[in-house]
Amino acid sequence: MRDNKSVVTTAGKVFFDTNILVYSADAKNPQKQLIAASLLEKASIEKTGLISTQSLQEFYNAATKKLKLTKQAAKEYVELFSKQFPVKEISIPLILNAVDISIKHKLSFWDSLIISTANETGCVVVYSEDMNNGQIIDGTKILNPFAN
């Protein structure tokens, strides 16, 4: 198993894509669950983590469909995450900026919205399994904590 300390090497604010939240609740994948939970715990303790309303909505959907959690259990996770981290609400300017990012960098709209929100909140890193590991977009670096 990987040393989790090597995963968390960033200074500054970090933004969590939905997949990190999902893996933290995924008992079927204990290695990824441990890595995700460690990242979330460290950011919570250091008060460096942020999430968005998009991440919470997508988490609820994935938790009830992919993880097969009950709706009540998924709601409790959403409540936990929203108490653990500041939550940025998605606004029209964030959406318009996401469209620009999507066009410029050829990313999906939803990934671009994560980047847009991370940029707006001053995050230096976005933790995500779904985007290009190591890519820097408008000053925010994407890191895949599960990459080998």
Side-chain angles (χ1 to χ4, degrees):
M1 189 172 295
R2 291 174 36 151
D3 175 18
N4 290 330
K5 291 179 182 155
S6 66
V7 172
V8 188
T9 57
T10 183
K13 291 195 274 182
V14 298
F15 194 92
F16 294 103
D17 193 358
T18 306
N19 52 60
I20 305 302
L21 304 180
V22 171
Y23 280 123
S24 76
D26 187 1
K28 295 176 192 144
N29 198 328
Q31 184 173 5
K32 286 186 177 182
Q33 183 182 34
L34 177 64
I35 293 167
S38 296
L39 283 172
L40 294 170
E41 180 181 15
K42 183 177 191 313
S44 178
I45 290 167
E46 295 178 354
K47 307 237 182 281
T48 56
L50 283 100
I51 56 176
S52 67
T53 51
Q54 173 192 356
S55 300
L56 293 175
Q57 293 165 333
E58 291 175 349
F59 171 84
Y60 178 84
N61 187 55
T64 56
K65 291 188 172 34
K66 179 184 172 196
L67 301 182
K68 307 290 188 210
L69 295 182
T70 66
K71 290 180 179 183
Q72 182 60 39
K75 178 186 177 191
E76 289 171 11
Y77 271 104
V78 169
E79 289 173 335
L80 173 69
F81 294 139
S82 65
K83 288 178 184 170
Q84 194 173 18
F85 302 107
V87 179
K88 177 71 176 170
E89 290 189 37
I90 301 303
S91 64
I92 299 302
L94 287 174
I95 292 169
L96 294 173
N97 188 49
V99 171
D100 291 340
I101 290 170
S102 177
I103 293 166
K104 182 178 177 184
H105 296 280
K106 298 180 178 26
L107 295 172
S108 77
F109 170 76
W110 300 111
D111 288 348
S112 297
L113 188 54
I114 291 290
I115 297 296
S116 176
T117 308
N119 287 340
E120 172 72 20
T121 55
C123 291
V124 295
V125 166
V126 170
Y127 283 110
S128 177
E129 181 183 48
D130 295 338
M131 295 184 238
N132 295 329
N133 188 36
Q135 184 176 9
I136 299 172
I137 299 175
D138 297 338
T140 302
K141 187 172 189 174
I142 299 162
L143 291 179
N144 179 351
F146 313 116
N148 293 327

